[in-house]
Amino acid sequence: MNVTLDGQDLADRAAAELEDASAQEIIQWASETFGDRLCMTSSMADALMVDLASQVVPGIDVIFLDTGYHFAETIGTRDAVESVYPINLINVEPQRSVAEQDRDLGPRLHGRNPGICCHVRKVEPLQRALEPYDAWLTGLRRDDAATRRGTGVVQWDRRKKMVKVNPIARWTREEVDTYIEEKGVLVNPLQYDGFPSIGCAPCTRRVAGGEDPRSGRWAGMNKTECGIHV
């Protein structure tokens, strides 16, 4: 069996069939298709996707990339999410600690070469963490950024050779906010302190009113994505 061709065909057909489906229906399809070979990732900016997924797939594996550079509020949100929702949280760390990275690659790599830093602390650890799975759920939305406007509700990730499922790809910011308010979803407190997009502390700044929500990520650098999704 050609896994790549079969996976691509499966993703393409599902993307067309599920384009107008609800987030819950898309998650249900993923659960029925992949069973325990399905997981999800969360940056802990909020628990919207955790809330949705855990309703359909209680006990789902939720991967959190603990880079060693997170805000304390993000770690606190992770711990709260683990205690509140019926999930199996998997905390994934890079192979090098921050101190070991400073020793081997020099201090403040995130300021000198953020691309390498993201690869070492996010991309490579996630690649390892996803190895036991055939598909993963994400919270990507088309209106997050220009780089995400082509996001399908189901996609074939050629680099990871697995199916990526984006149940809220079509949701607007207004729909996200409404769901969070109505369902009482846990939210990282930094969201209410000028951080609409939350990454590692050294590479994330507050965003002024009217600015692009992701403009606080890697501000002043020619970089808009960590490399996980593009």
Side-chain angles (χ1 to χ4, degrees), residues 78-104:
R78 175 202 64 188
D79 295 344
V81 165
E82 182 180 22
S83 68
V84 168
Y85 295 94
I87 61 169
N88 178 38
L89 183 77
I90 300 174
N91 196 71
V92 176
E93 298 179 354
Q95 292 183 319
R96 290 184 178 99
S97 68
V98 171
E100 290 168 338
Q101 177 172 296
D102 288 349
R103 178 197 67 201
D104 297 341

Side-chain angles (χ1 to χ4, degrees), residues 42-46 64-66 69-81 188-190 198-201:
S42 176
S43 66
M44 298 300 166
D46 60 56
F64 173 73
L65 299 177
D66 190 348
Y69 282 121
H70 282 302
F71 291 97
E73 291 87 345
T74 301
I75 299 301
T77 302
R78 175 202 64 188
D79 295 344
V81 165
N188 189 320
L190 290 172
I198 305 166
C200 292

Side-chain angles (χ1 to χ4, degrees), residues 67 78 87 108 201 214:
T67 65
R78 175 202 64 188
I87 61 169
R108 295 186 56 78
R214 287 184 62 83

